[in-house]
Amino acid sequence: MSIFCDECKKNIATVFLTKVSGEEVSKVQLCEACSKKMEETSEAVNLFAFLPQILTGFSGQPEDAADDILTGALVKCDSCGTSFNDFQKMGFLGCPDCYRALGEPLERVIMDFQGSTGHKGKMPSRVSEDAKLRRRLIDLEQNLERQIIEEDYEAAASVRDKIREIREKLYPGVDEYE
Amino acid sequence: MSKGNPVGACTDWLSNKGPGYPVVISSRARTARNIDGLKFPTVAAPDELEKARGIALEVVSRCVAEDRDWNISFAEELSPEDLGYMVEEHLVSGAFAGDIEGRAIASDWKEPRSVLVNEEDHIRIQAVLPGAQFKNVWKVVDELDSIMDREILYSFDPGMGYLTSCPSNAGTGLRISAMLHLPALVITGEIAKTISALGSAGIYVRGLHGEGSGVAGNIFQISNRRTLGESEESIVSYMEYTVQQIVDNERTARKMMLRDSEIELSDRVYRALGIVERARRLYYQEALELVSQLKLGLDLDILAIKEFYMPQVEVSISPHHMTELTGVDVDSEAIDRERAIYLRRLLDL
């Protein structure tokens, strides 16, 4: 494997990146100058720096996670300027928008740490009615699954009706059971 | 406590026994919330911190503290000694006391609940009750959280839940923790297995003062690691169940020690008593270890000294409390001499 930058072929590569393009994932290695140039182009949006130490102290399994974790040196939150690397260094995000802006790399870290990316707890009183219904739907669908496993078909039928009712409110005219 | 803490916060749990005593010292709950539209305190500029503090404290004053005995203090107004004293009473973390800009604490004088502003997150609501009272302590926090929620728009995402500065708190933002005294598990060496099992079960095991602190006096803090993907009630039940398992293990280890190695146990406890009776200097960590052995001796009817309550002694011999009591500088050697004298007096030795 070459130690030189894939871009200029002259300098020694110091930045290791994983390029994500649709389903395809490929690895790229760059020197510092080329990686900076890359950072300034729009192409950079889909480039994530590959840092083996990413989950140290966060997942407890850095060696397993290292190889397939994509991290965004170049992915930044527009609202506060925090990058995925900043998050790795500090352990903190900058603002609520970081959760969406840091996208997949952050989601993977959260999934790895929390084992879930689906909130099931309390909701603010001022959250939209739709959000409350979507949450209720998740709860009911889980109940339905359990009742079917337990062969409690009477309860399951009643839950299914409630699910239909909520689905009709949320997505009028669409019924997945039809 | 000698004078009560500088903000007058209720710390009843330090002197009252609760369920699960003497193994379970206290139960704590805290929620992490952030004000929508503002940067998290970890990166916020001073004016943004000021804004968050203004919003949070206005709501506390108007909706929670009105006509009640609450104290609201800006962290900048508290001296390093005051903050050290509060850390020792587990009212604020070492991290809170370490970087005080824009921070504040609002605390109830009658109930052990408080609101921390601009620590890692804009608003952290916490409560502590003696013994294993996880449902009750969550109820205290939940009620206060619901009051504040009606007034403040929090950062929230239907999928990720409450958005927090560190994603390890996202979702419910709820951390339930228990302070446990586990001398038998430590002496028998069973603690290593327990810590490893708890780690696999998604439970943090930390020292006396939580995150980043060392273990002293065989006191451990355990708390839920996951805050997302489970309801608050599930987290509370899981912690209740886990703590019960640990309490059972500690009690079994105590029985086994009494049955299989009573002489070794008595020897250990009486040696601790001998040191406390005779020592002319006691370092804080050393004193805590000795107090832990004495407490075990009392719990198992090996020692016949005056009964004492572990957290009360633990807190009152800590450095800033000793300074408050004796006027001796917190970093001076004299404080260890004062501690040896004070501990003998406290235990009637």
Side-chain angles (χ1 to χ4, degrees), chain A residues 139-150:
Chain A
D139 291 344
L140 287 172
E141 282 171 346
Q142 280 176 341
N143 286 352
L144 181 65
E145 221 169 276
R146 199 185 58 240
Q147 283 153 350
I148 289 171
I149 292 167
E150 290 168 357

Side-chain angles (χ1 to χ4, degrees), chain A residues 57-60 79-82 87 90-100 106-107 109-128 131 134-135 138 142, chain B residues 33 35-40 42-43 120 138 142 145-146 149-172 204 225-232:
Chain A
F58 210 87
S59 77
S79 306
C80 70
T82 302
F87 163 62
M90 300 190 299
F92 298 113
L93 297 165
C95 72
D97 293 341
C98 291
Y99 278 87
R100 283 192 193 284
L106 177 65
E107 211 167 289
V109 170
I110 294 175
M111 192 65 200
D112 188 66
F113 184 81
Q114 298 268 13
S116 168
T117 50
H119 178 58
K120 282 192 195 163
K122 204 173 166 175
M123 287 196 284
S125 55
R126 283 192 265 176
V127 82
S128 74
R134 278 196 293 273
R135 234 313 277 297
I138 293 170
Q142 280 176 341
Chain B
R33 305 282 187 255
I35 301 166
D36 200 39
L38 298 181
K39 282 182 192 163
F40 295 141
T42 40
V43 301
E120 231 177 82
W138 160 237
D142 186 25
D145 178 56
S146 297
D149 164 76
R150 286 195 285 274
E151 305 293 323
I152 297 173
L153 188 59
Y154 286 135
S155 295
F156 181 84
D157 172 86
M160 288 286 182
Y162 289 96
L163 303 178
T164 51
S165 155
C166 180
S168 62
N169 290 311
T172 57
Y204 282 130
R225 192 176 75 156
R226 286 180 62 184
T227 55
L228 178 63
E230 297 287 345
S231 68
E232 288 82 358

Side-chain angles (χ1 to χ4, degrees), chain B residues 24-61:
Chain B
V24 187
I25 294 172
S26 61
S27 317
R28 181 173 177 270
R30 75 108 176 98
T31 51
R33 305 282 187 255
N34 286 284
I35 301 166
D36 200 39
L38 298 181
K39 282 182 192 163
F40 295 141
T42 40
V43 301
D47 61 325
E48 291 169 305
L49 289 174
E50 205 54 66
K51 189 174 180 187
R53 180 157 72 176
I55 294 171
L57 293 182
E58 188 276 326
V59 172
V60 172
S61 321

Side-chain angles (χ1 to χ4, degrees), chain B residues 43-81:
Chain B
V43 301
D47 61 325
E48 291 169 305
L49 289 174
E50 205 54 66
K51 189 174 180 187
R53 180 157 72 176
I55 294 171
L57 293 182
E58 188 276 326
V59 172
V60 172
S61 321
R62 183 164 49 84
C63 305
V64 185
E66 202 189 15
D67 301 327
R68 295 182 69 103
D69 293 326
W70 274 68
N71 173 289
I72 295 176
S73 297
F74 283 16
E76 298 94 322
E77 293 165 356
L78 295 163
S79 68
E81 292 74 28

Side-chain angles (χ1 to χ4, degrees), chain A residues 75-94:
Chain A
V75 178
K76 272 191 179 169
C77 171
D78 286 341
S79 306
C80 70
T82 302
S83 72
F84 190 78
N85 276 1
D86 294 335
F87 163 62
Q88 282 182 272
K89 278 181 216 147
M90 300 190 299
F92 298 113
L93 297 165

Side-chain angles (χ1 to χ4, degrees), chain B residues 211-320:
Chain B
E211 199 168 344
S213 70
V215 174
N218 303 316
I219 297 173
F220 295 82
Q221 262 194 41
I222 71 151
S223 56
N224 58 302
R225 192 176 75 156
R226 286 180 62 184
T227 55
L228 178 63
E230 297 287 345
S231 68
E232 288 82 358
E233 289 70 26
S234 306
I235 293 170
V236 169
S237 303
Y238 187 54
M239 283 302 291
E240 213 164 39
Y241 167 80
T242 306
V243 166
Q244 189 54 53
Q245 302 282 311
I246 303 171
V247 170
D248 290 347
N249 289 352
E250 169 68 18
R251 289 195 167 134
T252 305
R254 289 180 182 206
K255 276 185 202 149
M256 283 174 67
M257 278 166 63
L258 263 186
R259 193 191 64 195
D260 301 337
S261 47
E262 198 186 344
I263 293 297
E264 287 88 336
L265 183 60
S266 303
D267 182 60
R268 180 186 284 270
V269 166
Y270 276 100
R271 277 170 187 268
L273 179 63
I275 296 173
V276 174
E277 275 178 335
R278 301 286 169 186
R280 289 299 174 260
R281 275 194 319 187
L282 282 174
Y283 306 113
Y284 174 51
Q285 299 276 335
E286 181 191 14
L288 271 185
E289 296 303 328
L290 294 166
V291 166
S292 169
Q293 312 279 346
L294 295 182
K295 186 72 185 89
L296 180 66
L298 267 173
D299 292 348
L300 298 179
D301 291 327
I302 295 170
L303 278 186
I305 58 169
K306 189 181 119 184
E307 177 64 65
F308 63 87
Y309 190 51
M310 185 73 187
Q312 196 166 29
V313 176
E314 174 256 302
V315 169
S316 63
I317 61 171
S318 52
H320 287 96

